[in-house]
CSV table of all heavy atoms in Angstrom, one decimal:
chain,number,residue,atom,x,y,z
J,59,GLU,N,13.8,41.0,-35.7
J,59,GLU,CA,12.7,41.9,-36.1
J,59,GLU,C,12.1,42.6,-34.8
J,59,GLU,O,11.7,43.7,-34.9
J,59,GLU,CB,11.6,41.1,-36.8
J,59,GLU,CG,12.0,40.6,-38.2
J,59,GLU,CD,12.4,41.7,-39.1
J,59,GLU,OE1,11.7,42.7,-39.1
J,59,GLU,OE2,13.4,41.5,-39.9
J,60,TYR,N,12.0,41.8,-33.7
J,60,TYR,CA,11.5,42.4,-32.5
J,60,TYR,C,12.4,43.5,-32.0
J,60,TYR,O,11.9,44.6,-31.6
J,60,TYR,CB,11.5,41.3,-31.4
J,60,TYR,CG,11.1,41.7,-30.0
J,60,TYR,CD1,9.8,42.3,-29.8
J,60,TYR,CD2,11.9,41.5,-29.0
J,60,TYR,CE1,9.4,42.7,-28.5
J,60,TYR,CE2,11.6,41.9,-27.7
J,60,TYR,CZ,10.3,42.5,-27.5
J,60,TYR,OH,10.0,42.8,-26.2
J,61,ALA,N,13.7,43.3,-32.1
J,61,ALA,CA,14.7,44.3,-31.7
J,61,ALA,C,14.5,45.6,-32.6
J,61,ALA,O,14.6,46.7,-32.1
J,61,ALA,CB,16.1,43.8,-31.8
J,62,ALA,N,14.3,45.4,-33.9
J,62,ALA,CA,14.1,46.5,-34.8
J,62,ALA,C,12.9,47.3,-34.5
J,62,ALA,O,12.9,48.5,-34.5
J,62,ALA,CB,14.0,46.0,-36.2
J,63,PHE,N,11.8,46.6,-34.1
J,63,PHE,CA,10.6,47.4,-33.6
J,63,PHE,C,10.9,48.2,-32.4
J,63,PHE,O,10.4,49.3,-32.2
J,63,PHE,CB,9.4,46.4,-33.4
J,63,PHE,CG,8.6,46.1,-34.7
J,63,PHE,CD1,8.8,44.9,-35.3
J,63,PHE,CD2,7.7,47.1,-35.2
J,63,PHE,CE1,8.0,44.6,-36.4
J,63,PHE,CE2,7.0,46.8,-36.3
J,63,PHE,CZ,7.2,45.6,-36.9
J,64,LEU,N,11.6,47.6,-31.5
J,64,LEU,CA,11.9,48.3,-30.2
J,64,LEU,C,13.0,49.4,-30.4
J,64,LEU,O,13.3,50.1,-29.5
J,64,LEU,CB,12.3,47.3,-29.2
J,64,LEU,CG,11.2,46.4,-28.6
J,64,LEU,CD1,11.8,45.5,-27.6
J,64,LEU,CD2,10.1,47.1,-28.1
J,65,GLU,N,13.8,49.3,-31.5
J,65,GLU,CA,14.9,50.2,-31.8
J,65,GLU,C,16.0,50.0,-30.7
J,65,GLU,O,16.6,50.9,-30.2
J,65,GLU,CB,14.5,51.7,-31.9
J,65,GLU,CG,13.5,51.9,-33.0
J,65,GLU,CD,13.0,53.4,-33.0
J,65,GLU,OE1,13.3,54.1,-32.1
J,65,GLU,OE2,12.4,53.7,-34.1
J,66,VAL,N,16.3,48.7,-30.5
J,66,VAL,CA,17.4,48.3,-29.6
J,66,VAL,C,18.2,47.3,-30.3
J,66,VAL,O,17.8,46.7,-31.4
J,66,VAL,CB,16.9,47.8,-28.3
J,66,VAL,CG1,16.1,48.8,-27.5
J,66,VAL,CG2,16.1,46.5,-28.4
J,67,SER,N,19.3,46.9,-29.7
J,67,SER,CA,20.2,45.9,-30.4
J,67,SER,C,19.5,44.5,-30.2
J,67,SER,O,18.7,44.3,-29.2
J,67,SER,CB,21.6,45.9,-29.8
J,67,SER,OG,21.6,45.4,-28.5
J,68,THR,N,19.9,43.6,-31.1
J,68,THR,CA,19.3,42.2,-30.9
J,68,THR,C,19.8,41.6,-29.6
J,68,THR,O,19.0,40.9,-29.0
J,68,THR,CB,19.9,41.3,-32.1
J,68,THR,OG1,19.4,41.9,-33.4
J,68,THR,CG2,19.4,39.9,-32.0
J,69,GLU,N,21.0,41.9,-29.2
J,69,GLU,CA,21.5,41.4,-28.0
J,69,GLU,C,20.7,41.9,-26.7
J,69,GLU,O,20.4,41.2,-25.8
J,69,GLU,CB,23.0,41.8,-27.8
J,69,GLU,CG,23.9,41.1,-28.8
J,69,GLU,CD,23.9,41.7,-30.1
J,69,GLU,OE1,23.4,42.8,-30.3
J,69,GLU,OE2,24.4,41.0,-31.1
J,70,ASP,N,20.4,43.2,-26.8
J,70,ASP,CA,19.6,43.8,-25.7
J,70,ASP,C,18.2,43.2,-25.6
J,70,ASP,O,17.7,42.9,-24.5
J,70,ASP,CB,19.5,45.3,-25.8
J,70,ASP,CG,20.9,46.0,-25.4
J,70,ASP,OD1,21.7,45.3,-24.8
J,70,ASP,OD2,21.0,47.2,-25.7
J,71,ALA,N,17.6,43.0,-26.8
J,71,ALA,CA,16.3,42.4,-26.8
J,71,ALA,C,16.3,41.0,-26.3
J,71,ALA,O,15.4,40.6,-25.4
J,71,ALA,CB,15.7,42.4,-28.2
J,72,ALA,N,17.3,40.2,-26.7
J,72,ALA,CA,17.3,38.8,-26.2
J,72,ALA,C,17.6,38.8,-24.7
J,72,ALA,O,17.0,38.0,-24.0
J,72,ALA,CB,18.5,38.1,-27.0
J,73,ALA,N,18.5,39.7,-24.2
J,73,ALA,CA,18.8,39.7,-22.8
J,73,ALA,C,17.7,40.1,-22.0
J,73,ALA,O,17.4,39.5,-20.9
J,73,ALA,CB,20.0,40.6,-22.6
J,74,ASP,N,16.8,41.0,-22.5
J,74,ASP,CA,15.7,41.5,-21.7
J,74,ASP,C,14.7,40.3,-21.6
J,74,ASP,O,14.1,40.1,-20.5
J,74,ASP,CB,15.1,42.6,-22.4
J,74,ASP,CG,13.9,43.3,-21.6
J,74,ASP,OD1,14.1,43.5,-20.4
J,74,ASP,OD2,12.9,43.5,-22.2
J,75,LEU,N,14.4,39.6,-22.7
J,75,LEU,CA,13.4,38.5,-22.6
J,75,LEU,C,14.0,37.3,-21.8
J,75,LEU,O,13.3,36.7,-21.0
J,75,LEU,CB,13.1,38.0,-24.0
J,75,LEU,CG,12.3,38.9,-24.8
J,75,LEU,CD1,12.1,38.4,-26.3
J,75,LEU,CD2,10.9,39.2,-24.2
J,76,GLU,N,15.3,37.1,-21.8
J,76,GLU,CA,15.9,36.0,-21.0
J,76,GLU,C,15.8,36.4,-19.5
J,76,GLU,O,15.5,35.5,-18.7
J,76,GLU,CB,17.4,35.9,-21.4
J,76,GLU,CG,18.1,34.7,-20.8
J,76,GLU,CD,17.8,33.4,-21.5
J,76,GLU,OE1,17.1,33.4,-22.6
J,76,GLU,OE2,18.1,32.4,-21.0
J,77,LYS,N,16.0,37.6,-19.2
J,77,LYS,CA,15.9,38.0,-17.8
J,77,LYS,C,14.5,37.8,-17.3
J,77,LYS,O,14.3,37.4,-16.2
J,77,LYS,CB,16.3,39.5,-17.7
J,77,LYS,CG,16.2,40.1,-16.3
J,77,LYS,CD,16.6,41.5,-16.2
J,77,LYS,CE,16.4,42.1,-14.8
J,77,LYS,NZ,16.7,43.6,-14.7
J,78,ASN,N,13.5,38.2,-18.1
J,78,ASN,CA,12.1,38.0,-17.7
J,78,ASN,C,11.8,36.5,-17.5
J,78,ASN,O,11.1,36.2,-16.6
J,78,ASN,CB,11.2,38.6,-18.7
J,78,ASN,CG,11.0,40.1,-18.5
J,78,ASN,OD1,10.2,40.6,-17.7
J,78,ASN,ND2,11.8,40.9,-19.2
J,79,LEU,N,12.3,35.7,-18.4
J,79,LEU,CA,12.0,34.3,-18.3
J,79,LEU,C,12.7,33.7,-17.0
J,79,LEU,O,12.0,32.9,-16.3
J,79,LEU,CB,12.6,33.6,-19.5
J,79,LEU,CG,12.4,32.0,-19.5
J,79,LEU,CD1,11.0,31.6,-19.5
J,79,LEU,CD2,13.1,31.4,-20.8
J,80,ASP,N,13.9,34.1,-16.7
J,80,ASP,CA,14.6,33.7,-15.5
J,80,ASP,C,13.7,34.1,-14.2
J,80,ASP,O,13.6,33.3,-13.3
J,80,ASP,CB,15.9,34.2,-15.4
J,80,ASP,CG,16.9,33.6,-16.3
J,80,ASP,OD1,16.7,32.4,-16.8
J,80,ASP,OD2,17.9,34.3,-16.7
J,81,GLU,N,13.2,35.3,-14.2
J,81,GLU,CA,12.4,35.7,-13.1
J,81,GLU,C,11.1,34.9,-12.9
J,81,GLU,O,10.7,34.6,-11.8
J,81,GLU,CB,12.1,37.2,-13.2
J,81,GLU,CG,13.4,38.1,-13.1
J,81,GLU,CD,13.1,39.6,-13.4
J,81,GLU,OE1,11.9,39.9,-13.8
J,81,GLU,OE2,14.0,40.4,-13.1
J,82,GLN,N,10.5,34.6,-14.1
J,82,GLN,CA,9.3,33.9,-14.0
J,82,GLN,C,9.5,32.5,-13.5
J,82,GLN,O,8.8,31.9,-12.7
J,82,GLN,CB,8.6,33.8,-15.4
J,82,GLN,CG,8.1,35.2,-15.8
J,82,GLN,CD,7.8,35.2,-17.3
J,82,GLN,OE1,7.5,34.2,-17.9
J,82,GLN,NE2,7.8,36.4,-17.9
J,83,ILE,N,10.6,31.8,-14.0
J,83,ILE,CA,11.0,30.5,-13.5
J,83,ILE,C,11.3,30.5,-12.1
J,83,ILE,O,10.9,29.6,-11.3
J,83,ILE,CB,12.1,29.9,-14.4
J,83,ILE,CG1,11.6,29.6,-15.8
J,83,ILE,CG2,12.7,28.7,-13.7
J,83,ILE,CD1,12.7,29.1,-16.7
J,84,ARG,N,12.0,31.5,-11.6
J,84,ARG,CA,12.4,31.6,-10.2
J,84,ARG,C,11.2,31.7,-9.3
J,84,ARG,O,11.1,31.0,-8.3
J,84,ARG,CB,13.3,32.8,-10.0
J,84,ARG,CG,14.0,32.9,-8.6
J,84,ARG,CD,14.9,34.1,-8.4
J,84,ARG,NE,15.9,34.0,-9.4
J,84,ARG,CZ,16.0,34.9,-10.4
J,84,ARG,NH1,15.2,35.9,-10.6
J,84,ARG,NH2,17.0,34.8,-11.3
Side-chain angles (χ1 to χ4, degrees):
E59 294 299 321
Y60 175 61
F63 273 105
L64 293 180
E65 298 181 348
V66 300
S67 70
T68 301
E69 292 76 17
D70 285 346
D74 188 48
L75 290 175
E76 189 78 9
K77 179 181 178 182
N78 277 275
L79 179 59
D80 286 338
E81 291 176 353
Q82 290 167 27
I83 290 177
R84 189 178 302 110

